[in-house]
Amino acid sequence: MNDLSLRIKENKLTLALAESMSAGYFSAIWSMQVYSGDFFKGSIIAFANEVKEDILKVDKALIKEFSAESIPVTEAMAKGLQYLIPSAIQLAITGLAYGCDDPQERAKVGDVFISIGFQGKQTSRSFSYGDDLAADIFIQAFNSSLVLLADVLAASD
């Protein structure tokens, strides 16, 4: 991860996060990295749908159609983030690390959705980690986000 932090710093890029499922976990890890003060701009924790809608401007109809834990909603979160915290890289995450009582929920425990906005392009992936413990899902999701971000940056070289 420090190599990725150094790469972001050396390329004079900045990073902002919009987190739902992870509720600040990603931000905490990024903030502890060497050089984070040079590139990490901040984050929005949008755990509740109202925060996604009111702060990140995710269309309520999008949440209703796809559910809050989906690629379209995660992409909308990343797009909304760029207006709140201007940055070169916008990374958003949604998913389910444990069960919920929402009858409209379509994702299963362990389903995670990550979207990265960079250079006007959106790169999104879905992952399924099974019904592991929430902490294990968070760790796996974070590691997947690092691989995805490294791939996005490598594609821009």
Side-chain angles (χ1 to χ4, degrees), residues 20-22 47 49 52 67-70 74 93-102 104-113 127-138 141:
S20 180
M21 175 198 81
S22 53
F47 205 70
N49 287 349
K52 292 174 185 72
S67 92
E69 290 75 27
S70 64
T74 310
I93 176 172
T94 65
L96 285 180
Y98 46 81
C100 71
D101 293 330
D102 184 350
Q104 296 181 355
E105 185 54 58
R106 294 182 193 105
K108 296 179 185 117
V109 173
D111 289 350
V112 174
F113 308 92
F127 303 90
S128 185
Y129 303 114
D131 58 357
D132 289 343
L133 296 172
D136 292 336
I137 293 168
F138 285 5

PDB file of all heavy atoms in Angstrom, residues 20-22 47 49 52 67-70 74 93-102 104-113 127-138 141:
ATOM      1  N   SER A  20     -19.987   3.734   2.303  1.00  0.00           N
ATOM      2  CA  SER A  20     -21.246   3.314   2.898  1.00  0.00           C
ATOM      3  C   SER A  20     -20.960   2.140   3.825  1.00  0.00           C
ATOM      4  O   SER A  20     -20.755   2.327   5.014  1.00  0.00           O
ATOM      5  CB  SER A  20     -22.263   2.949   1.812  1.00  0.00           C
ATOM      6  OG  SER A  20     -23.489   2.549   2.397  1.00  0.00           O
ATOM      7  N   MET A  21     -20.895   0.938   3.296  1.00  0.00           N
ATOM      8  CA  MET A  21     -20.696  -0.265   4.107  1.00  0.00           C
ATOM      9  C   MET A  21     -19.524  -0.124   5.078  1.00  0.00           C
ATOM     10  O   MET A  21     -19.624  -0.489   6.244  1.00  0.00           O
ATOM     11  CB  MET A  21     -20.457  -1.473   3.200  1.00  0.00           C
ATOM     12  CG  MET A  21     -20.118  -2.748   3.945  1.00  0.00           C
ATOM     13  SD  MET A  21     -19.360  -4.014   2.915  1.00  0.00           S
ATOM     14  CE  MET A  21     -17.671  -3.465   2.875  1.00  0.00           C
ATOM     15  N   SER A  22     -18.427   0.392   4.619  1.00  0.00           N
ATOM     16  CA  SER A  22     -17.202   0.428   5.418  1.00  0.00           C
ATOM     17  C   SER A  22     -17.185   1.542   6.461  1.00  0.00           C
ATOM     18  O   SER A  22     -16.322   1.548   7.337  1.00  0.00           O
ATOM     19  CB  SER A  22     -15.979   0.525   4.511  1.00  0.00           C
ATOM     20  OG  SER A  22     -16.120   1.613   3.625  1.00  0.00           O
ATOM     21  N   PHE A  47     -23.638   6.133   5.195  1.00  0.00           N
ATOM     22  CA  PHE A  47     -24.185   4.843   5.622  1.00  0.00           C
ATOM     23  C   PHE A  47     -25.689   4.790   5.337  1.00  0.00           C
ATOM     24  O   PHE A  47     -26.188   3.813   4.815  1.00  0.00           O
ATOM     25  CB  PHE A  47     -23.898   4.662   7.113  1.00  0.00           C
ATOM     26  CG  PHE A  47     -23.855   3.241   7.565  1.00  0.00           C
ATOM     27  CD1 PHE A  47     -22.822   2.401   7.196  1.00  0.00           C
ATOM     28  CD2 PHE A  47     -24.851   2.743   8.387  1.00  0.00           C
ATOM     29  CE1 PHE A  47     -22.777   1.079   7.622  1.00  0.00           C
ATOM     30  CE2 PHE A  47     -24.812   1.431   8.827  1.00  0.00           C
ATOM     31  CZ  PHE A  47     -23.779   0.597   8.444  1.00  0.00           C
ATOM     32  N   ASN A  49     -29.268   5.889   3.507  1.00  0.00           N
ATOM     33  CA  ASN A  49     -29.695   6.312   2.170  1.00  0.00           C
ATOM     34  C   ASN A  49     -29.920   7.813   2.103  1.00  0.00           C
ATOM     35  O   ASN A  49     -29.634   8.438   1.078  1.00  0.00           O
ATOM     36  CB  ASN A  49     -30.966   5.575   1.749  1.00  0.00           C
ATOM     37  CG  ASN A  49     -30.708   4.130   1.414  1.00  0.00           C
ATOM     38  OD1 ASN A  49     -29.550   3.703   1.286  1.00  0.00           O
ATOM     39  ND2 ASN A  49     -31.769   3.349   1.284  1.00  0.00           N
ATOM     40  N   LYS A  52     -26.739   9.477   1.249  1.00  0.00           N
ATOM     41  CA  LYS A  52     -26.430   9.274  -0.170  1.00  0.00           C
ATOM     42  C   LYS A  52     -27.242  10.250  -1.019  1.00  0.00           C
ATOM     43  O   LYS A  52     -26.716  10.871  -1.945  1.00  0.00           O
ATOM     44  CB  LYS A  52     -26.740   7.833  -0.589  1.00  0.00           C
ATOM     45  CG  LYS A  52     -25.833   6.775   0.011  1.00  0.00           C
ATOM     46  CD  LYS A  52     -26.332   5.388  -0.370  1.00  0.00           C
ATOM     47  CE  LYS A  52     -25.558   4.285   0.286  1.00  0.00           C
ATOM     48  NZ  LYS A  52     -25.810   4.145   1.729  1.00  0.00           N
ATOM     49  N   SER A  67     -31.208  -0.832  -5.529  1.00  0.00           N
ATOM     50  CA  SER A  67     -30.903  -0.949  -4.098  1.00  0.00           C
ATOM     51  C   SER A  67     -29.648  -0.138  -3.791  1.00  0.00           C
ATOM     52  O   SER A  67     -28.830   0.144  -4.676  1.00  0.00           O
ATOM     53  CB  SER A  67     -30.789  -2.394  -3.613  1.00  0.00           C
ATOM     54  OG  SER A  67     -29.489  -2.890  -3.669  1.00  0.00           O
ATOM     55  N   ALA A  68     -29.507   0.204  -2.523  1.00  0.00           N
ATOM     56  CA  ALA A  68     -28.373   1.050  -2.104  1.00  0.00           C
ATOM     57  C   ALA A  68     -27.034   0.359  -2.301  1.00  0.00           C
ATOM     58  O   ALA A  68     -26.012   1.016  -2.470  1.00  0.00           O
ATOM     59  CB  ALA A  68     -28.547   1.466  -0.645  1.00  0.00           C
ATOM     60  N   GLU A  69     -27.053  -0.963  -2.272  1.00  0.00           N
ATOM     61  CA  GLU A  69     -25.830  -1.729  -2.444  1.00  0.00           C
ATOM     62  C   GLU A  69     -25.808  -2.280  -3.859  1.00  0.00           C
ATOM     63  O   GLU A  69     -26.283  -3.391  -4.118  1.00  0.00           O
ATOM     64  CB  GLU A  69     -25.741  -2.864  -1.416  1.00  0.00           C
ATOM     65  CG  GLU A  69     -25.516  -2.380  -0.003  1.00  0.00           C
ATOM     66  CD  GLU A  69     -26.745  -1.776   0.656  1.00  0.00           C
ATOM     67  OE1 GLU A  69     -27.882  -2.152   0.285  1.00  0.00           O
ATOM     68  OE2 GLU A  69     -26.583  -0.908   1.520  1.00  0.00           O
ATOM     69  N   SER A  70     -25.263  -1.484  -4.783  1.00  0.00           N
ATOM     70  CA  SER A  70     -25.253  -1.842  -6.203  1.00  0.00           C
ATOM     71  C   SER A  70     -24.212  -1.005  -6.929  1.00  0.00           C
ATOM     72  O   SER A  70     -23.793   0.044  -6.440  1.00  0.00           O
ATOM     73  CB  SER A  70     -26.633  -1.596  -6.819  1.00  0.00           C
ATOM     74  OG  SER A  70     -26.950  -0.212  -6.770  1.00  0.00           O
ATOM     75  N   THR A  74     -23.193   2.991  -6.320  1.00  0.00           N
ATOM     76  CA  THR A  74     -21.799   3.255  -5.963  1.00  0.00           C
ATOM     77  C   THR A  74     -21.169   4.230  -6.951  1.00  0.00           C
ATOM     78  O   THR A  74     -20.444   5.146  -6.560  1.00  0.00           O
ATOM     79  CB  THR A  74     -21.005   1.934  -5.903  1.00  0.00           C
ATOM     80  OG1 THR A  74     -21.730   1.000  -5.096  1.00  0.00           O
ATOM     81  CG2 THR A  74     -19.639   2.141  -5.294  1.00  0.00           C
ATOM     82  N   ILE A  93     -17.574   3.023  -2.101  1.00  0.00           N
ATOM     83  CA  ILE A  93     -17.844   1.631  -1.763  1.00  0.00           C
ATOM     84  C   ILE A  93     -19.216   1.497  -1.119  1.00  0.00           C
ATOM     85  O   ILE A  93     -19.602   2.314  -0.295  1.00  0.00           O
ATOM     86  CB  ILE A  93     -16.764   1.049  -0.822  1.00  0.00           C
ATOM     87  CG1 ILE A  93     -17.135  -0.391  -0.414  1.00  0.00           C
ATOM     88  CG2 ILE A  93     -16.523   1.932   0.374  1.00  0.00           C
ATOM     89  CD1 ILE A  93     -16.089  -1.147   0.334  1.00  0.00           C
ATOM     90  N   THR A  94     -19.932   0.452  -1.537  1.00  0.00           N
ATOM     91  CA  THR A  94     -21.159   0.019  -0.877  1.00  0.00           C
ATOM     92  C   THR A  94     -21.082  -1.497  -0.744  1.00  0.00           C
ATOM     93  O   THR A  94     -20.205  -2.138  -1.316  1.00  0.00           O
ATOM     94  CB  THR A  94     -22.434   0.396  -1.663  1.00  0.00           C
ATOM     95  OG1 THR A  94     -22.440  -0.322  -2.912  1.00  0.00           O
ATOM     96  CG2 THR A  94     -22.525   1.890  -1.920  1.00  0.00           C
ATOM     97  N   GLY A  95     -22.010  -2.068  -0.025  1.00  0.00           N
ATOM     98  CA  GLY A  95     -22.064  -3.521   0.100  1.00  0.00           C
ATOM     99  C   GLY A  95     -22.728  -3.928   1.395  1.00  0.00           C
ATOM    100  O   GLY A  95     -23.231  -3.094   2.147  1.00  0.00           O
ATOM    101  N   LEU A  96     -22.715  -5.219   1.637  1.00  0.00           N
ATOM    102  CA  LEU A  96     -23.276  -5.771   2.872  1.00  0.00           C
ATOM    103  C   LEU A  96     -22.226  -6.607   3.582  1.00  0.00           C
ATOM    104  O   LEU A  96     -21.751  -7.600   3.038  1.00  0.00           O
ATOM    105  CB  LEU A  96     -24.496  -6.645   2.581  1.00  0.00           C
ATOM    106  CG  LEU A  96     -25.791  -5.944   2.228  1.00  0.00           C
ATOM    107  CD1 LEU A  96     -26.889  -6.973   1.976  1.00  0.00           C
ATOM    108  CD2 LEU A  96     -26.226  -4.983   3.326  1.00  0.00           C
ATOM    109  N   ALA A  97     -21.871  -6.185   4.781  1.00  0.00           N
ATOM    110  CA  ALA A  97     -20.926  -6.943   5.588  1.00  0.00           C
ATOM    111  C   ALA A  97     -21.666  -7.808   6.611  1.00  0.00           C
ATOM    112  O   ALA A  97     -21.069  -8.661   7.247  1.00  0.00           O
ATOM    113  CB  ALA A  97     -19.963  -6.007   6.297  1.00  0.00           C
ATOM    114  N   TYR A  98     -22.947  -7.566   6.756  1.00  0.00           N
ATOM    115  CA  TYR A  98     -23.804  -8.348   7.654  1.00  0.00           C
ATOM    116  C   TYR A  98     -25.243  -8.162   7.198  1.00  0.00           C
ATOM    117  O   TYR A  98     -25.547  -7.271   6.404  1.00  0.00           O
ATOM    118  CB  TYR A  98     -23.615  -7.938   9.119  1.00  0.00           C
ATOM    119  CG  TYR A  98     -23.617  -6.448   9.335  1.00  0.00           C
ATOM    120  CD1 TYR A  98     -24.810  -5.730   9.416  1.00  0.00           C
ATOM    121  CD2 TYR A  98     -22.420  -5.759   9.435  1.00  0.00           C
ATOM    122  CE1 TYR A  98     -24.801  -4.354   9.594  1.00  0.00           C
ATOM    123  CE2 TYR A  98     -22.404  -4.382   9.617  1.00  0.00           C
ATOM    124  CZ  TYR A  98     -23.592  -3.695   9.694  1.00  0.00           C
ATOM    125  OH  TYR A  98     -23.585  -2.339   9.863  1.00  0.00           O
ATOM    126  N   GLY A  99     -26.130  -8.992   7.677  1.00  0.00           N
ATOM    127  CA  GLY A  99     -27.524  -8.971   7.234  1.00  0.00           C
ATOM    128  C   GLY A  99     -28.260  -7.700   7.626  1.00  0.00           C
ATOM    129  O   GLY A  99     -27.836  -6.956   8.515  1.00  0.00           O
ATOM    130  N   CYS A 100     -29.360  -7.455   6.929  1.00  0.00           N
ATOM    131  CA  CYS A 100     -30.202  -6.309   7.238  1.00  0.00           C
ATOM    132  C   CYS A 100     -31.668  -6.720   7.053  1.00  0.00           C
ATOM    133  O   CYS A 100     -31.965  -7.742   6.449  1.00  0.00           O
ATOM    134  CB  CYS A 100     -29.845  -5.106   6.377  1.00  0.00           C
ATOM    135  SG  CYS A 100     -30.318  -5.261   4.649  1.00  0.00           S
ATOM    136  N   ASP A 101     -32.555  -5.878   7.550  1.00  0.00           N
ATOM    137  CA  ASP A 101     -33.981  -6.186   7.494  1.00  0.00           C
ATOM    138  C   ASP A 101     -34.702  -5.492   6.350  1.00  0.00           C
ATOM    139  O   ASP A 101     -35.922  -5.503   6.304  1.00  0.00           O
ATOM    140  CB  ASP A 101     -34.655  -5.787   8.819  1.00  0.00           C
ATOM    141  CG  ASP A 101     -34.191  -6.649   9.973  1.00  0.00           C
ATOM    142  OD1 ASP A 101     -33.853  -7.824   9.721  1.00  0.00           O
ATOM    143  OD2 ASP A 101     -34.163  -6.159  11.111  1.00  0.00           O
ATOM    144  N   ASP A 102     -33.981  -4.889   5.428  1.00  0.00           N
ATOM    145  CA  ASP A 102     -34.606  -4.178   4.315  1.00  0.00           C
ATOM    146  C   ASP A 102     -35.190  -5.185   3.327  1.00  0.00           C
ATOM    147  O   ASP A 102     -34.447  -5.932   2.683  1.00  0.00           O
ATOM    148  CB  ASP A 102     -33.575  -3.289   3.621  1.00  0.00           C
ATOM    149  CG  ASP A 102     -34.166  -2.428   2.514  1.00  0.00           C
ATOM    150  OD1 ASP A 102     -35.345  -2.638   2.143  1.00  0.00           O
ATOM    151  OD2 ASP A 102     -33.443  -1.558   2.020  1.00  0.00           O
ATOM    152  N   GLN A 104     -36.284  -4.731   0.448  1.00  0.00           N
ATOM    153  CA  GLN A 104     -35.920  -4.418  -0.939  1.00  0.00           C
ATOM    154  C   GLN A 104     -34.458  -4.740  -1.244  1.00  0.00           C
ATOM    155  O   GLN A 104     -34.017  -4.582  -2.375  1.00  0.00           O
ATOM    156  CB  GLN A 104     -36.202  -2.947  -1.243  1.00  0.00           C
ATOM    157  CG  GLN A 104     -37.673  -2.601  -1.170  1.00  0.00           C
ATOM    158  CD  GLN A 104     -37.929  -1.150  -1.502  1.00  0.00           C
ATOM    159  OE1 GLN A 104     -37.011  -0.370  -1.704  1.00  0.00           O
ATOM    160  NE2 GLN A 104     -39.190  -0.775  -1.565  1.00  0.00           N
ATOM    161  N   GLU A 105     -33.713  -5.169  -0.239  1.00  0.00           N
ATOM    162  CA  GLU A 105     -32.289  -5.452  -0.431  1.00  0.00           C
ATOM    163  C   GLU A 105     -32.098  -6.621  -1.399  1.00  0.00           C
ATOM    164  O   GLU A 105     -32.732  -7.647  -1.299  1.00  0.00           O
ATOM    165  CB  GLU A 105     -31.629  -5.777   0.910  1.00  0.00           C
ATOM    166  CG  GLU A 105     -30.144  -5.970   0.802  1.00  0.00           C
ATOM    167  CD  GLU A 105     -29.465  -4.797   0.151  1.00  0.00           C
ATOM    168  OE1 GLU A 105     -29.601  -3.681   0.684  1.00  0.00           O
ATOM    169  OE2 GLU A 105     -28.827  -4.990  -0.901  1.00  0.00           O
ATOM    170  N   ARG A 106     -31.207  -6.409  -2.360  1.00  0.00           N
ATOM    171  CA  ARG A 106     -30.918  -7.447  -3.351  1.00  0.00           C
ATOM    172  C   ARG A 106     -29.547  -8.079  -3.158  1.00  0.00           C
ATOM    173  O   ARG A 106     -29.304  -9.189  -3.599  1.00  0.00           O
ATOM    174  CB  ARG A 106     -31.029  -6.857  -4.747  1.00  0.00           C
ATOM    175  CG  ARG A 106     -32.451  -6.438  -5.058  1.00  0.00           C
ATOM    176  CD  ARG A 106     -32.582  -5.897  -6.476  1.00  0.00           C
ATOM    177  NE  ARG A 106     -33.860  -5.242  -6.610  1.00  0.00           N
ATOM    178  CZ  ARG A 106     -34.039  -3.935  -6.632  1.00  0.00           C
ATOM    179  NH1 ARG A 106     -33.002  -3.137  -6.553  1.00  0.00           N
ATOM    180  NH2 ARG A 106     -35.235  -3.415  -6.748  1.00  0.00           N
ATOM    181  N   ALA A 107     -28.650  -7.336  -2.518  1.00  0.00           N
ATOM    182  CA  ALA A 107     -27.301  -7.865  -2.275  1.00  0.00           C
ATOM    183  C   ALA A 107     -27.348  -8.897  -1.153  1.00  0.00           C
ATOM    184  O   ALA A 107     -28.234  -8.871  -0.298  1.00  0.00           O
ATOM    185  CB  ALA A 107     -26.354  -6.726  -1.917  1.00  0.00           C
ATOM    186  N   LYS A 108     -26.372  -9.773  -1.183  1.00  0.00           N
ATOM    187  CA  LYS A 108     -26.223 -10.776  -0.123  1.00  0.00           C
ATOM    188  C   LYS A 108     -25.054 -10.369   0.764  1.00  0.00           C
ATOM    189  O   LYS A 108     -24.162  -9.618   0.335  1.00  0.00           O
ATOM    190  CB  LYS A 108     -25.939 -12.150  -0.742  1.00  0.00           C
ATOM    191  CG  LYS A 108     -27.065 -12.678  -1.591  1.00  0.00           C
ATOM    192  CD  LYS A 108     -26.679 -14.037  -2.171  1.00  0.00           C
ATOM    193  CE  LYS A 108     -27.754 -14.489  -3.114  1.00  0.00           C
ATOM    194  NZ  LYS A 108     -27.316 -14.622  -4.486  1.00  0.00           N
ATOM    195  N   VAL A 109     -25.026 -10.896   1.967  1.00  0.00           N
ATOM    196  CA  VAL A 109     -23.898 -10.638   2.859  1.00  0.00           C
ATOM    197  C   VAL A 109     -22.620 -11.068   2.138  1.00  0.00           C
ATOM    198  O   VAL A 109     -22.544 -12.159   1.576  1.00  0.00           O
ATOM    199  CB  VAL A 109     -24.052 -11.391   4.189  1.00  0.00           C
ATOM    200  CG1 VAL A 109     -22.789 -11.258   5.037  1.00  0.00           C
ATOM    201  CG2 VAL A 109     -25.261 -10.875   4.955  1.00  0.00           C
ATOM    202  N   GLY A 110     -21.653 -10.178   2.122  1.00  0.00           N
ATOM    203  CA  GLY A 110     -20.382 -10.433   1.441  1.00  0.00           C
ATOM    204  C   GLY A 110     -20.289  -9.799   0.067  1.00  0.00           C
ATOM    205  O   GLY A 110     -19.216  -9.760  -0.519  1.00  0.00           O
ATOM    206  N   ASP A 111     -21.415  -9.273  -0.453  1.00  0.00           N
ATOM    207  CA  ASP A 111     -21.385  -8.575  -1.742  1.00  0.00           C
ATOM    208  C   ASP A 111     -20.877  -7.153  -1.527  1.00  0.00           C
ATOM    209  O   ASP A 111     -21.362  -6.442  -0.637  1.00  0.00           O
ATOM    210  CB  ASP A 111     -22.773  -8.521  -2.377  1.00  0.00           C
ATOM    211  CG  ASP A 111     -23.251  -9.873  -2.888  1.00  0.00           C
ATOM    212  OD1 ASP A 111     -22.441 -10.815  -2.934  1.00  0.00           O
ATOM    213  OD2 ASP A 111     -24.442  -9.968  -3.235  1.00  0.00           O
ATOM    214  N   VAL A 112     -19.900  -6.766  -2.316  1.00  0.00           N
ATOM    215  CA  VAL A 112     -19.272  -5.451  -2.192  1.00  0.00           C
ATOM    216  C   VAL A 112     -19.155  -4.836  -3.579  1.00  0.00           C
ATOM    217  O   VAL A 112     -18.860  -5.529  -4.554  1.00  0.00           O
ATOM    218  CB  VAL A 112     -17.874  -5.567  -1.540  1.00  0.00           C
ATOM    219  CG1 VAL A 112     -17.152  -4.228  -1.535  1.00  0.00           C
ATOM    220  CG2 VAL A 112     -17.990  -6.121  -0.122  1.00  0.00           C
ATOM    221  N   PHE A 113     -19.375  -3.518  -3.644  1.00  0.00           N
ATOM    222  CA  PHE A 113     -19.338  -2.780  -4.903  1.00  0.00           C
ATOM    223  C   PHE A 113     -18.395  -1.593  -4.740  1.00  0.00           C
ATOM    224  O   PHE A 113     -18.538  -0.802  -3.809  1.00  0.00           O
ATOM    225  CB  PHE A 113     -20.754  -2.310  -5.273  1.00  0.00           C
ATOM    226  CG  PHE A 113     -21.741  -3.444  -5.242  1.00  0.00           C
ATOM    227  CD1 PHE A 113     -22.465  -3.722  -4.095  1.00  0.00           C
ATOM    228  CD2 PHE A 113     -21.901  -4.259  -6.348  1.00  0.00           C
ATOM    229  CE1 PHE A 113     -23.342  -4.787  -4.040  1.00  0.00           C
ATOM    230  CE2 PHE A 113     -22.782  -5.334  -6.311  1.00  0.00           C
ATOM    231  CZ  PHE A 113     -23.508  -5.597  -5.149  1.00  0.00           C
ATOM    232  N   PHE A 127     -17.761  -7.567  -6.055  1.00  0.00           N
ATOM    233  CA  PHE A 127     -17.026  -8.656  -5.438  1.00  0.00           C
ATOM    234  C   PHE A 127     -17.984  -9.416  -4.529  1.00  0.00           C
ATOM    235  O   PHE A 127     -18.922  -8.839  -3.994  1.00  0.00           O
ATOM    236  CB  PHE A 127     -15.857  -8.120  -4.593  1.00  0.00           C
ATOM    237  CG  PHE A 127     -14.903  -7.265  -5.365  1.00  0.00           C
ATOM    238  CD1 PHE A 127     -15.105  -5.889  -5.451  1.00  0.00           C
ATOM    239  CD2 PHE A 127     -13.811  -7.813  -6.003  1.00  0.00           C
ATOM    240  CE1 PHE A 127     -14.231  -5.087  -6.172  1.00  0.00           C
ATOM    241  CE2 PHE A 127     -12.934  -7.019  -6.727  1.00  0.00           C
ATOM    242  CZ  PHE A 127     -13.146  -5.653  -6.813  1.00  0.00           C
ATOM    243  N   SER A 128     -17.721 -10.678  -4.340  1.00  0.00           N
ATOM    244  CA  SER A 128     -18.519 -11.475  -3.414  1.00  0.00           C
ATOM    245  C   SER A 128     -17.567 -12.285  -2.544  1.00  0.00           C
ATOM    246  O   SER A 128     -16.809 -13.107  -3.041  1.00  0.00           O
ATOM    247  CB  SER A 128     -19.476 -12.397  -4.177  1.00  0.00           C
ATOM    248  OG  SER A 128     -20.316 -13.065  -3.260  1.00  0.00           O
ATOM    249  N   TYR A 129     -17.609 -12.001  -1.254  1.00  0.00           N
ATOM    250  CA  TYR A 129     -16.688 -12.631  -0.311  1.00  0.00           C
ATOM    251  C   TYR A 129     -17.383 -13.685   0.558  1.00  0.00           C
ATOM    252  O   TYR A 129     -16.804 -14.130   1.536  1.00  0.00           O
ATOM    253  CB  TYR A 129     -16.037 -11.569   0.580  1.00  0.00           C
ATOM    254  CG  TYR A 129     -15.322 -10.521  -0.215  1.00  0.00           C
ATOM    255  CD1 TYR A 129     -15.774  -9.214  -0.221  1.00  0.00           C
ATOM    256  CD2 TYR A 129     -14.211 -10.835  -0.990  1.00  0.00           C
ATOM    257  CE1 TYR A 129     -15.119  -8.241  -0.966  1.00  0.00           C
ATOM    258  CE2 TYR A 129     -13.561  -9.873  -1.743  1.00  0.00           C
ATOM    259  CZ  TYR A 129     -14.026  -8.579  -1.714  1.00  0.00           C
ATOM    260  OH  TYR A 129     -13.388  -7.621  -2.452  1.00  0.00           O
ATOM    261  N   GLY A 130     -18.600 -14.057   0.231  1.00  0.00           N
ATOM    262  CA  GLY A 130     -19.319 -15.021   1.045  1.00  0.00           C
ATOM    263  C   GLY A 130     -19.787 -14.395   2.342  1.00  0.00           C
ATOM    264  O   GLY A 130     -19.722 -13.184   2.522  1.00  0.00           O
ATOM    265  N   ASP A 131     -20.253 -15.213   3.237  1.00  0.00           N
ATOM    266  CA  ASP A 131     -20.812 -14.673   4.482  1.00  0.00           C
ATOM    267  C   ASP A 131     -19.825 -14.738   5.639  1.00  0.00           C
ATOM    268  O   ASP A 131     -20.139 -15.157   6.738  1.00  0.00           O
ATOM    269  CB  ASP A 131     -22.127 -15.365   4.832  1.00  0.00           C
ATOM    270  CG  ASP A 131     -21.979 -16.870   4.990  1.00  0.00           C
ATOM    271  OD1 ASP A 131     -20.855 -17.376   4.777  1.00  0.00           O
ATOM    272  OD2 ASP A 131     -22.971 -17.522   5.320  1.00  0.00           O
ATOM    273  N   ASP A 132     -18.603 -14.298   5.367  1.00  0.00           N
ATOM    274  CA  ASP A 132     -17.578 -14.221   6.404  1.00  0.00           C
ATOM    275  C   ASP A 132     -17.981 -13.198   7.469  1.00  0.00           C
ATOM    276  O   ASP A 132     -18.973 -12.490   7.330  1.00  0.00           O
ATOM    277  CB  ASP A 132     -16.238 -13.780   5.795  1.00  0.00           C
ATOM    278  CG  ASP A 132     -15.597 -14.852   4.931  1.00  0.00           C
ATOM    279  OD1 ASP A 132     -15.986 -16.022   5.047  1.00  0.00           O
ATOM    280  OD2 ASP A 132     -14.706 -14.505   4.135  1.00  0.00           O
ATOM    281  N   LEU A 133     -17.168 -13.090   8.486  1.00  0.00           N
ATOM    282  CA  LEU A 133     -17.373 -12.050   9.491  1.00  0.00           C
ATOM    283  C   LEU A 133     -17.222 -10.677   8.840  1.00  0.00           C
ATOM    284  O   LEU A 133     -16.440 -10.512   7.898  1.00  0.00           O
ATOM    285  CB  LEU A 133     -16.347 -12.192  10.609  1.00  0.00           C
ATOM    286  CG  LEU A 133     -16.422 -13.464  11.448  1.00  0.00           C
ATOM    287  CD1 LEU A 133     -15.228 -13.542  12.390  1.00  0.00           C
ATOM    288  CD2 LEU A 133     -17.727 -13.510  12.218  1.00  0.00           C
ATOM    289  N   ALA A 134     -17.935  -9.702   9.362  1.00  0.00           N
ATOM    290  CA  ALA A 134     -17.891  -8.354   8.795  1.00  0.00           C
ATOM    291  C   ALA A 134     -16.459  -7.837   8.701  1.00  0.00           C
ATOM    292  O   ALA A 134     -16.068  -7.262   7.687  1.00  0.00           O
ATOM    293  CB  ALA A 134     -18.757  -7.409   9.624  1.00  0.00           C
ATOM    294  N   ALA A 135     -15.666  -8.046   9.731  1.00  0.00           N
ATOM    295  CA  ALA A 135     -14.279  -7.559   9.712  1.00  0.00           C
ATOM    296  C   ALA A 135     -13.490  -8.177   8.562  1.00  0.00           C
ATOM    297  O   ALA A 135     -12.705  -7.492   7.895  1.00  0.00           O
ATOM    298  CB  ALA A 135     -13.599  -7.854  11.046  1.00  0.00           C
ATOM    299  N   ASP A 136     -13.718  -9.450   8.304  1.00  0.00           N
ATOM    300  CA  ASP A 136     -13.023 -10.110   7.187  1.00  0.00           C
ATOM    301  C   ASP A 136     -13.473  -9.534   5.851  1.00  0.00           C
ATOM    302  O   ASP A 136     -12.660  -9.355   4.936  1.00  0.00           O
ATOM    303  CB  ASP A 136     -13.276 -11.621   7.213  1.00  0.00           C
ATOM    304  CG  ASP A 136     -12.629 -12.306   8.405  1.00  0.00           C
ATOM    305  OD1 ASP A 136     -11.645 -11.770   8.948  1.00  0.00           O
ATOM    306  OD2 ASP A 136     -13.129 -13.377   8.798  1.00  0.00           O
ATOM    307  N   ILE A 137     -14.748  -9.242   5.735  1.00  0.00           N
ATOM    308  CA  ILE A 137     -15.270  -8.640   4.502  1.00  0.00           C
ATOM    309  C   ILE A 137     -14.664  -7.259   4.295  1.00  0.00           C
ATOM    310  O   ILE A 137     -14.261  -6.907   3.184  1.00  0.00           O
ATOM    311  CB  ILE A 137     -16.813  -8.597   4.521  1.00  0.00           C
ATOM    312  CG1 ILE A 137     -17.365 -10.026   4.479  1.00  0.00           C
ATOM    313  CG2 ILE A 137     -17.363  -7.760   3.362  1.00  0.00           C
ATOM    314  CD1 ILE A 137     -18.849 -10.138   4.771  1.00  0.00           C
ATOM    315  N   PHE A 138     -14.560  -6.465   5.367  1.00  0.00           N
ATOM    316  CA  PHE A 138     -13.941  -5.137   5.258  1.00  0.00           C
ATOM    317  C   PHE A 138     -12.508  -5.249   4.751  1.00  0.00           C
ATOM    318  O   PHE A 138     -12.093  -4.504   3.862  1.00  0.00           O
ATOM    319  CB  PHE A 138     -13.922  -4.426   6.615  1.00  0.00           C
ATOM    320  CG  PHE A 138     -15.240  -3.879   7.073  1.00  0.00           C
ATOM    321  CD1 PHE A 138     -16.413  -4.089   6.368  1.00  0.00           C
ATOM    322  CD2 PHE A 138     -15.315  -3.149   8.237  1.00  0.00           C
ATOM    323  CE1 PHE A 138     -17.624  -3.571   6.806  1.00  0.00           C
ATOM    324  CE2 PHE A 138     -16.519  -2.631   8.691  1.00  0.00           C
ATOM    325  CZ  PHE A 138     -17.671  -2.847   7.976  1.00  0.00           C
ATOM    326  N   ALA A 141     -12.427  -6.332   1.125  1.00  0.00           N
ATOM    327  CA  ALA A 141     -12.889  -5.231   0.273  1.00  0.00           C
ATOM    328  C   ALA A 141     -11.808  -4.168   0.135  1.00  0.00           C
ATOM    329  O   ALA A 141     -11.568  -3.647  -0.966  1.00  0.00           O
ATOM    330  CB  ALA A 141     -14.174  -4.624   0.832  1.00  0.00           C
TER     331      ALA A 141
END
